[in-house]
Amino acid sequence: MAQTKKSVSEFIQDAFCPMVAVLCSYDAETICRKNNLTFAELIQPFCRLPSEVGYRDPSNTLIVLKNLRLEIKDYNSLPPQNTLAKKLLNDCVFNALTNGSTSNEREIDTEQYQLHIQNTTPWFDAWRDCFLRIAYSGDHEFLKNYLACIMVVSTSHLDPIDAFSKLVQLQNQQQQQIPAKLPKWFMTNIYKYFVLLHDVTEGEESKAISVFGDLKQQYGAGNCHLLQINSKRPGQTNSDTSETTNMPDPWRLYVKQSSTSNQQQSQTISKRDGSMSDSLSNLTELIDQELNLN
């Protein structure tokens, strides 16, 4: 049997949480890349809300949720191909079996065999979590369709308001195209949230405040947020200052998962390209042989 510390409600809440897409301008991604992160990775450690969240259903009844978690992904992210998905599932099962405890086993002795059988199946928990993470919903499902989209533009852009307008237009065009393509959306008029990204190490605060005021007038104060980050300066490392030496790294887990998936996907693509190159070289040799014979 599987072994998990989560209750049924906690498992369902984590496995099928609301999904939100992130659509960034090039300048916003450039600022995040200075910290070796994407914007989606930047906010991953803060996707579980510590306070209660209330919303009203169609009958205007207030429903309160605790420990709500949001799954935020990049607008351009795609589910892994079948070959890579199988490899990810096999790897997670192998790692779970390798790291398993031998004290969880019991022996069964027969006249011909001596078997070691585990009392629980921790590999199934790993397989299930990996499957739910990489699986994508079918055309008839809405479990992993995006409920909202976060538009992100930095204050370093020459015209941030115009950049936000173009991002909204891009999302609307993608959602209205026929036939529908990824990403998929839960409804026609999805909720849009606008984040103005400001790097305090290089930007002017007066410009950020001015642009943010225009942004609130354009889309409403409740739909906008000014996010200020403190990026590393070029050439700066953690050892340069004593304050950052012992600071925790809340992004380690999320960046590790993302880099592992990207690395394995790159290996799959390189193997495919290598096999294609070998096939082309073999075909070229056959053509040369035919030409020489004639």
Side-chain angles (χ1 to χ4, degrees):
M1 60 179 293
Q3 187 176 17
T4 179
K5 297 180 180 179
K6 296 181 180 179
S7 63
V8 176
S9 59
E10 290 175 344
F11 168 73
I12 295 176
Q13 193 171 1
D14 287 345
F16 306 104
C17 56
M19 296 190 62
V20 179
V22 173
L23 182 56
C24 295
S25 62
Y26 177 78
D27 50 283
E29 285 290 0
T30 301
I31 290 179
C32 295
R33 285 296 180 188
K34 292 195 298 183
N35 300 291
N36 298 322
L37 296 169
T38 64
F39 184 83
E41 293 172 343
L42 180 67
I43 60 178
Q44 283 298 322
F46 315 102
C47 288
R48 185 179 294 277
L49 307 182
S51 58
E52 294 182 349
V53 178
Y55 72 96
R56 295 187 180 274
D57 62 6
S59 62
N60 203 28
T61 302
L62 180 63
I63 300 177
V64 179
L65 295 177
K66 297 180 179 179
N67 297 324
L68 176 65
R69 187 178 77 89
L70 300 177
E71 185 171 356
I72 298 181
K73 289 188 175 182
D74 188 83
Y75 175 87
N76 297 312
S77 63
L78 296 174
Q81 299 178 357
N82 292 336
T83 304
L84 177 59
K86 292 179 181 179
K87 187 178 187 308
L88 292 174
L89 291 172
N90 291 335
D91 290 345
C92 74
V93 172
F94 176 78
N95 294 332
L97 292 175
T98 304
N99 300 329
S101 175
T102 57
S103 60
N104 193 30
E105 296 180 350
R106 60 190 177 96
E107 294 184 1
I108 297 180
D109 295 330
T110 63
E111 296 180 356
Q112 299 179 350
Y113 303 101
Q114 184 179 11
L115 303 178
H116 295 270
I117 301 177
Q118 290 187 346
N119 296 321
T120 59
T121 55
W123 60 267
F124 178 75
D125 288 344
W127 182 91
R128 179 195 59 198
D129 294 340
C130 181
F131 175 80
L132 293 175
R133 187 176 71 252
I134 65 177
Y136 209 84
S137 59
D139 294 336
H140 62 287
E141 297 176 335
F142 289 84
L143 292 175
K144 290 199 172 185
N145 289 18
Y146 292 112
L147 288 171
C149 185
I150 301 176
M151 313 288 180
V152 186
V153 177
S154 74
T155 54
S156 61
H157 196 281
L158 296 178
D159 191 351
I161 303 300
D162 181 67
F164 276 114
S165 178
K166 291 181 179 179
L167 292 181
V168 172
Q169 184 179 4
L170 175 63
Q171 191 278 326
N172 290 333
Q173 291 177 351
Q174 188 278 331
Q175 187 174 1
Q176 295 173 2
Q177 64 182 348
I178 299 175
K181 297 181 180 180
L182 298 178
K184 296 182 179 180
W185 308 94
F186 192 84
M187 63 192 73
T188 303
N189 188 18
I190 64 165
Y191 177 69
K192 299 177 180 63
Y193 194 76
F194 303 89
V195 175
L196 182 63
L197 187 64
H198 178 62
D199 190 353
V200 298
T201 60
E202 63 179 19
E204 298 179 0
E205 185 178 1
S206 58
K207 178 184 177 181
I209 296 176
S210 175
V211 173
F212 186 59
D214 296 338
L215 185 65
K216 290 189 292 184
Q217 291 182 358
Q218 182 78 16
Y219 299 105
N223 303 321
C224 304
H225 181 73
L226 175 61
L227 179 60
Q228 302 186 50
I229 62 175
N230 187 12
S231 301
K232 291 182 180 179
R233 296 180 179 86
Q236 181 184 7
T237 61
N238 288 342
S239 59
D240 292 339
T241 58
S242 58
E243 297 179 357
T244 59
T245 302
N246 298 322
M247 289 183 63
D249 186 4
W251 295 276
R252 184 184 301 274
L253 175 62
Y254 307 98
V255 174
K256 181 179 179 181
Q257 291 179 351
S258 177
S259 61
T260 301
S261 300
N262 293 335
Q263 182 180 4
Q264 291 177 343
Q265 188 169 8
S266 300
Q267 292 176 354
T268 303
I269 294 175
S270 61
K271 290 180 180 178
R272 182 187 61 189
D273 293 342
S275 61
M276 183 179 297
S277 177
D278 295 339
S279 301
L280 291 175
S281 61
N282 294 334
L283 179 60
T284 304
E285 292 178 358
L286 291 175
I287 294 175
D288 291 339
Q289 292 177 3
E290 291 292 334
L291 292 176
N292 292 332
L293 289 176
N294 295 333

